[in-house]
Amino acid sequence: MEDIIIVDSMDKKFDKVSRIEAHSERLEMQITLDVNTEIYPIKIKDKFALLITPTLHADGTGDTGYYIQGKEGSIADKFEYIMYGKLYKITEEGLGADVKAELFISFGGLLLDMKGNPDYVTEFQLDHKYYLCMRKLD
C-alpha cells in the first residue's frame, strides 16, 4: 500500500513518542500512528509519502526480517523513517457500501491503526510482518 498522508493532529504519548492522526490523499484511509518524534520530528499539516510493504527488496523478493545494509536496490534507500512489525488484527464494520476495514500493526509497541475502504487492504494478511516506510514531502 502506497499513498501520501497528511498529519491532522498529534498527541504526545510518551517522552519520545507522539501519536499522529492523519488521512491519506488517494486511498482515503484514516490513520493513527505512533512515531518516535525524538528521532523523526513531525508537525501538524506535514505531508509524507507512506509505504507499507512486506519486503524492502526492490525486486519484490521475500524478506527474512533482517536488513542488510548496502544491498543494492533496497526500497529503504528512498525513505527516512522505517519500522518493522506484525499485523495482529483485521476487522470489518458496517454494511453494504458503508463497510470499513480496519487493520492494526504493532512495531515493537508503536502502533498503526488504519481504517477505510476494504478494497485497499485485501493484500494484507494476519500475522504477517510488514515494513512501514515514511519520507517527508515538501
Side-chain angles (χ1 to χ4, degrees):
M1 189 202 96
E2 189 170 6
D3 206 345
I4 293 173
I5 65 168
I6 301 168
V7 177
D8 299 319
S9 65
M10 289 179 58
D11 182 20
K12 190 89 166 156
K13 294 312 266 181
F14 301 101
D15 286 341
K16 301 176 183 183
V17 176
S18 293
R19 178 161 289 166
I20 66 167
E21 300 285 337
H23 67 277
S24 69
E25 285 187 335
R26 185 175 53 86
L27 302 180
E28 298 178 6
M29 302 292 281
Q30 289 302 122
I31 297 167
T32 302
L33 176 64
D34 295 339
V35 177
N36 184 333
T37 49
E38 180 181 65
I39 61 170
Y40 196 65
I42 292 178
K43 298 182 301 237
I44 295 174
K45 304 273 188 227
D46 278 353
K47 260 183 158 176
F48 296 90
L50 175 74
L51 173 69
I52 301 173
T53 179
T55 182
L56 290 177
H57 300 295
D59 62 5
T61 58
D63 202 288
T64 62
Y66 296 100
Y67 174 66
I68 301 168
Q69 190 169 357
K71 182 175 179 177
E72 289 191 37
S74 175
I75 292 170
D77 296 337
K78 299 176 184 172
F79 292 92
E80 303 161 340
Y81 185 76
I82 298 172
M83 296 191 292
Y84 183 66
K86 183 177 184 178
L87 193 151
Y88 67 91
K89 185 177 178 182
I90 301 173
T91 63
E92 279 191 11
E93 61 183 44
L95 298 171
D98 293 330
V99 171
K100 299 285 185 201
E102 190 168 15
L103 57 86
F104 300 86
I105 302 175
S106 175
F107 302 98
L110 299 180
L111 302 177
L112 166 69
D113 173 2
M114 191 165 56
K115 185 175 187 176
N117 186 332
D119 294 339
Y120 300 130
V121 298
T122 57
E123 74 266 11
F124 290 98
Q125 296 180 6
L126 193 61
D127 294 328
H128 281 208
K129 303 275 184 151
Y130 293 93
Y131 291 93
L132 179 140
C133 307
M134 290 175 60
R135 176 183 68 247
K136 188 171 182 181
L137 301 173
D138 293 330

